[in-house]
Amino acid sequence: MSAKKKIAINTGGGDAPGLNAVIRAAVLSALNRGWEAYGIRKAYHGLLGEAEIVPLTRDSVRGITHLGGTILGTTNRGNPFAWPTKRPDGTIEKVDRSDEVVANFRSHGFDALIAIGGDGSLRIAHELSLKGIPVVGVPKTIDNDIEGTPLTFGFLTAVYVATDAIDRLHSTAQSHERVMVVEVMGRDTGWIALFAGVAGTADVILIPEIPYDLDKICQKVLERERLGRRFTIVVAAEGAYPAGGSPVFKDPDTQRLGGVCEVLVSQISQRTGKDARAIALRQLQRGGGPISYDRLLALRFGAAAVSCIEAGDFGCMVALDPPDIKSIPLAEAVSRQKRVPLDGDVLATARALGICMGD
Ligand code: F6P
């Protein structure tokens, strides 16, 4: 048995199906080595006295593998390097509280932190590791946009949810002879849109990696009409935008994307004369439990993170390297965003099937 360690675990950013499975695997892997495990609630809030730090026991992680969300809570508004703090006049300033995080981590006697998060949280984890915290990152996001791993857990569950929605929309679109525009998440990458769109046999798929031409979309709708197929399913990534234009933001201040389906519906119906409806799947894609592949990936990541700690491998992120799990430097993982490759086989498959990619 390795020297007894005290490890901390947190979950940051938007939730993703599989977070609880990572927590369970990490906790049991630690306890089975004779170590102690603690959960830092709400990303870094727990290390800043704004939420609790809780012991994680076998009881805490019993029966949670299949559950959505995270038992530790999460936030995408908790960067300790730019902590939103109210000034006396009520305005908000961003304050660097990272030294407090480091000091509190040390005062609790933790030997390592397992930071489960997407690109923002992994960037914070990387910066904390540069300040001396022994960190192991675990890549989480439905967007699948983390460099260095072909898959993040949560992604395939989101694809499953989106595919199911597209399947369901086929029958109503057909009955009403409508164009249905389905908006899926993914920030400025088109992984969910492409995978769910191909699996769900969409007619048009719009991804941020390929700025679209509205004429091409309308041509596809009208061509289907001529062939007697009086409905069209368009799957649009929330970050999709027209060539020469820009993405649609729900909230320009925070750069939160959303609303491209509404814009497309009004433009397509105006140009083609077809009845059209918009539907944005939004957080539905993140809710609920993980499909079995994501559960397994999450459990493997959790166990691998503890193996990294045991081996003294820090400042790293666990990553899928089929058929294995490996660790890569966090610096590499946060160096750039993983976007849909334009020469990839899923995109080639879409084109081979005659799906319009908006170009
Ligand atoms: O990164 C995950 C994600 O779901 C993105 O796909 C989406 O743009 C964003 O989070 C939405 O965040 P929120 O739930 O805070 O609106």
Side-chain angles (χ1 to χ4, degrees):
M1 197 176 285
S2 51
K4 186 166 173 156
K5 293 192 192 303
K6 185 172 172 181
I7 68 163
I9 304 171
N10 72 353
T11 52
D15 63 352
L19 282 168
N20 286 324
V22 180
I23 296 168
R24 175 177 162 88
V27 168
L28 293 183
S29 302
L31 298 183
N32 289 338
R33 284 170 164 85
W35 303 357
E36 287 174 57
Y38 288 80
I40 298 173
R41 289 194 48 81
K42 278 186 80 178
Y44 292 94
H45 281 63
L47 281 172
L48 288 171
E50 316 240 352
E52 313 87 74
I53 294 178
V54 291
L56 293 173
T57 63
R58 288 177 195 280
D59 281 345
S60 339
V61 298
R62 185 164 292 130
I64 64 169
T65 307
H66 64 295
L67 299 181
T70 160
I71 60 166
L72 295 177
T74 189
T75 174
N76 44 19
R77 311 252 180 280
N79 180 355
F81 290 89
W83 194 265
T85 309
K86 226 181 204 165
R87 293 194 188 96
D89 66 1
T91 56
I92 302 288
E93 66 175 326
K94 301 270 173 78
V95 175
D96 182 354
R97 294 183 67 186
S98 58
D99 286 339
E100 270 178 78
V101 167
V102 176
N104 286 333
F105 180 86
R106 294 210 170 113
S107 72
H108 278 88
F110 292 131
D111 295 300
L113 170 68
I114 297 179
I116 313 169
D119 70 327
S121 308
L122 292 172
R123 202 158 283 126
I124 294 167
H126 176 52
E127 287 178 44
L128 288 173
S129 88
L130 297 178
K131 287 191 136 209
I133 292 194
V135 178
V136 177
V138 176
K140 161 254 39 163
T141 169
I142 64 163
D143 303 335
N144 198 36
D145 61 350
I146 306 293
E147 185 59 32
T149 183
L151 283 177
T152 52
F153 70 86
F155 166 62
L156 289 176
T157 303
V159 169
Y160 175 82
V161 171
T163 305
D164 181 55
I166 297 165
D167 286 348
R168 287 169 188 279
L169 290 167
H170 265 89
S171 60
T172 172
Q174 191 162 17
S175 314
H176 288 265
E177 302 187 345
R178 277 177 177 155
V179 176
M180 301 290 311
V181 182
V182 191
E183 180 181 313
V184 297
M185 281 183 162
R187 288 195 314 165
D188 29 33
T189 65
W191 293 101
I192 299 176
L194 181 63
F195 277 48
V198 173
T201 69
D203 306 300
V204 180
I205 300 173
L206 306 175
I207 61 176
E209 290 84 349
I210 305 176
Y212 64 78
D213 175 347
L214 187 62
D215 287 341
K216 296 284 163 56
I217 302 169
C218 295
Q219 274 166 25
K220 179 73 175 180
V221 172
L222 294 173
E223 180 195 318
R224 284 179 57 77
E225 194 75 9
R226 269 196 305 277
L227 295 170
R229 297 197 265 285
R230 305 201 181 284
F231 72 96
T232 297
I233 304 285
V234 179
V235 176
E238 62 182 355
Y241 63 95
S246 46
V248 182
F249 292 104
K250 206 170 186 43
D251 176 0
D253 288 345
T254 58
Q255 298 273 290
R256 274 179 68 221
L257 291 159
V260 69
C261 61
E262 305 281 355
V263 172
L264 284 165
V265 152
S266 83
Q267 292 174 336
I268 294 171
S269 61
Q270 204 172 21
R271 291 230 193 161
T272 63
K274 290 285 296 175
D275 194 16
R277 294 289 186 274
I279 175 157
L281 301 182
R282 304 233 157 95
Q283 281 77 5
L284 263 183
Q285 297 156 98
R286 298 211 311 247
I291 59 167
S292 54
Y293 188 90
D294 276 340
R295 282 186 208 183
L296 183 60
L297 183 60
L299 292 166
R300 294 168 72 198
F301 277 168
V306 173
S307 296
C308 287
I309 296 173
E310 186 167 47
D313 180 9
F314 295 116
C316 67
M317 180 189 86
V318 294
L320 179 63
D321 183 19
D324 300 315
I325 304 290
K326 64 174 179 181
S327 95
I328 63 166
L330 262 173
E332 184 186 325
V334 301
S335 62
R336 67 188 184 110
Q337 187 179 42
K338 185 185 71 188
R339 309 193 83 208
V340 172
L342 296 182
D343 57 356
D345 74 289
V346 185
L347 191 52
T349 304
R351 293 196 191 279
L353 289 167
I355 296 172
C356 165
M357 294 300 305
D359 58 347

